[in-house]
Structure formats: C-alpha cells, structure tokens
Amino acid sequence: MSKPLVVDIHTHVYPPSYMAMLRARKTVPYIHDPEQGEPRLIILSSDDDPAIPIDQRGRPVDSSYSDINVKLTFMQQHGIDSSVISLANPWLDFLDPSEAQEWARRINDDLEETCASVNLSGNPDQKLPLKGRSSLFAFAVLPLSAPSPDIIVEEIKRLRSLPHVRGVIMGTSGLGNGLDDEKLGPVWAALEETQLLLFLHPHYGLPNEAFGGAEVTARYGHVLPLALGFPLETTIAVTRMLLSRVFDKFPRLQLLLAHSGGTLPFLAGRIESCIMHERNFVKNGGNVPGPQRSIWEILKTNIFLDAVVYGVAGLKAAVTVGGATDRLMFGTDHPFFPPLTEGEKDWLSVTTNYKAIEETFKDENETVAAVLGGNAARILSLE
Ligand code: 5CU
C-alpha cells in the first residue's frame, strides 16, 4: 500500500505576537523569561503554585511553540502532509474586553498569512495537491471576552474571507459562564450558518481539590490535570450543551472534540440513561425543557472526534459512538508532549497514536487511510 495522506488536525501554535504578550504578563497565562536560564511557559492555573520556584513552574518553552519552520520540520519527520494549525490554550479568554476583537483579527490574519505563504511557496500555480509536500490550514480564534456577542459574530463572518480557515477553536468557558449560556445563541447560529467546524478544546481542567489538593497535584506535575482534568472538562462542557438543548436549537452545528471527546464516548450511555430518568425534565413531569435529541444521534451527526487518545480502547469507543470510521481524525497535539531527551527525533506522543490507529484497524488499510487523513481532507475540504 502506498503511504496514505496524513493530516494533523490537532496541532497548535503561539504566533510570535502572542508569545510577546505572554512575556509581558506576570499572572497566568505568562512566560517567565529570565536573563539567565530557560524560559518557562505557565498557562495552567495549577502551574502557578507559589510553593514551586518560578524557574520550575509550568514547562520549558522553545521555538517549537511559535516557529512555523520548526513545525514544518516536525511534520516532515513524522510523515505529516498537512496540518490544520490552531492557537493553543488559553487562546484569548483572559483578555480585557476592549482588546479582544483586535487580538482575534491579528491572530487570525497571522494564521491565514502563515498558511498562504507555506502553501504557495513551491506551488506557483496555486493548486494545492496535499500529497508530497507540506501544506497548512487553520482553525481561527474568537474574541470571546469582547463586550458583546455581536463582535464575535462579526469575526465569524469575517473568517469567510480567509481562504485557509476551516473552523474555529474554542475553550469550554464560552463567554465566561460555560457553553450552556443562552447568550451564546448568536455564536452557535453564526457557526451553523457559516458551517465552520467548532474545535472544542479543554484548558481549565478540574479544581485541585478534585485531585486531593494543590500539594498532590503539584507532586505529580501535569499528569492529573492533563490526563484526567482535560478530558473531564471537555465531557462536562459538551454535556452542558446537550442538556441546555443547544443541539436541538442548532441541529446543523458541527463540533470537533479534542482528545477523542474526553470521556464522552465511554460515558454516553450513562449520560443518556440519567437524562431518561431525570424528573426535572418536562417529558418526565418536571419543568426544565431538557434535551429532545438523543446523545447517540448527536454523536453521529454533530460531533467529530480526534484520534489523540493514545490507545486502542479509546479509539474503539470513539468509532463505536460515531457509528462509522468516517468521523475520526488523526492529530498530534504538537508542540505539547515533546520527547524528554534532547535531540530525540521521533516523538513518543506521535508514534503512540500512529501505533494505536494501526492496531485498532489492523488489516483495514482503507480505514487507516481515512483516519490518518482521508476523513480530514473530506470533512474540511482540504483538497
Ligand atoms: O500539556 C499541556 O498543558 C497541554 C495544553 O495545555 N494544551 C494542549 O493542547 N495540550 C497539552
């Protein structure tokens, strides 16, 4: 079998302007950049524990976070033909309302320009045969802290003029009150109308208390917040959307869930069962409207999942709830989870995902090809 097209739909950047903004800050998110010693990226609230010396907080940050040439080299080293780049967390969530619109425009224009310059170099007739050369597309960012949802809607509509943008990335806080907030209605409507894919990604995790307190969380570094906090955050956010009837009101909304949906595929049956037994819902005699469409239908029509789950059991759950293998897409989470040993070329985080896909779909070459890139090329119209 010839090498299939490989598309990475979960890969992040912090453009240089964003890095400079983080360097100028002293509260989360920020970059501690001392004159001597290595810079540290401190983005998670659990990173900013005053009990941890500042030069050990967060993680080291190097050019892989911001230099697009480093990403292109990473792509070549890992057989990736095309990447859909997105701003990494915490996006623009923390910005003062007065700055949000300008920053969203700046970052989105910057992403567009980066994609255009990479795609056009070496391809003068502007056709984009994905195979055999690196190409880039983007998920844009939204000015969620802007003073009015109208500004967010305006940016969504402006994205139509950026040819490499294929969707938007968003965290779980929405306008500050979660994704079941009624005020998000115009945003869902604009995403539905433009058919831009919403890449839903965690950042806030769970409070340290869920893991036994700050001391326990800090002892194990990023394991508890990333392995458990992130996936549960995503699961809770989508479940709140479902419960508040977002998918009933906006049935054509299209979501891509990070990390194979957190724990949603595994918990879908339990969520649906609890809904069926909830007395608060109108259909069970209560006064809260409650969702009409079933979680199973939503998983098959509104939700796509990435394959960033590092194991066969997770991938099997993801394709089972999707009803087919055509809703699952390869990703790397680059530049997060780099090798711990300097100079190592193969990223364990990437090879683990490749192996899990091959093992899950053993002897199913067409499915492997679909998950690695065919699905993304079709869903995101990359060719
Ligand atoms: O390692 C991490 O903290 C992260 C993160 O913050 N965002 C992400 O996409 N992956 C891993």
Side-chain angles (χ1 to χ4, degrees), residues 172 200-202 229-239 257-259 261-262:
T172 61
L200 183 62
H201 193 291
F230 268 31
L232 282 163
E233 176 190 350
T234 305
T235 311
I236 293 166
V238 190
T239 307
L257 302 185
H259 315 124

Side-chain angles (χ1 to χ4, degrees), residues 173-186 188 240 244 246:
S173 65
L175 307 177
N177 292 312
L179 301 186
D180 54 358
D181 183 353
E182 288 209 346
K183 293 201 184 87
L184 279 165
W188 304 141
R240 285 175 66 181
S244 65
V246 169

Side-chain angles (χ1 to χ4, degrees), residues 10 12 43-44 59 89 201 226 230 333 336-337:
H10 188 154
H12 302 295
I43 49 172
L44 306 179
R59 73 203 75 196
N89 48 304
H201 193 291
L226 295 183
F230 268 31
D333 217 343
F336 295 102
F337 305 114

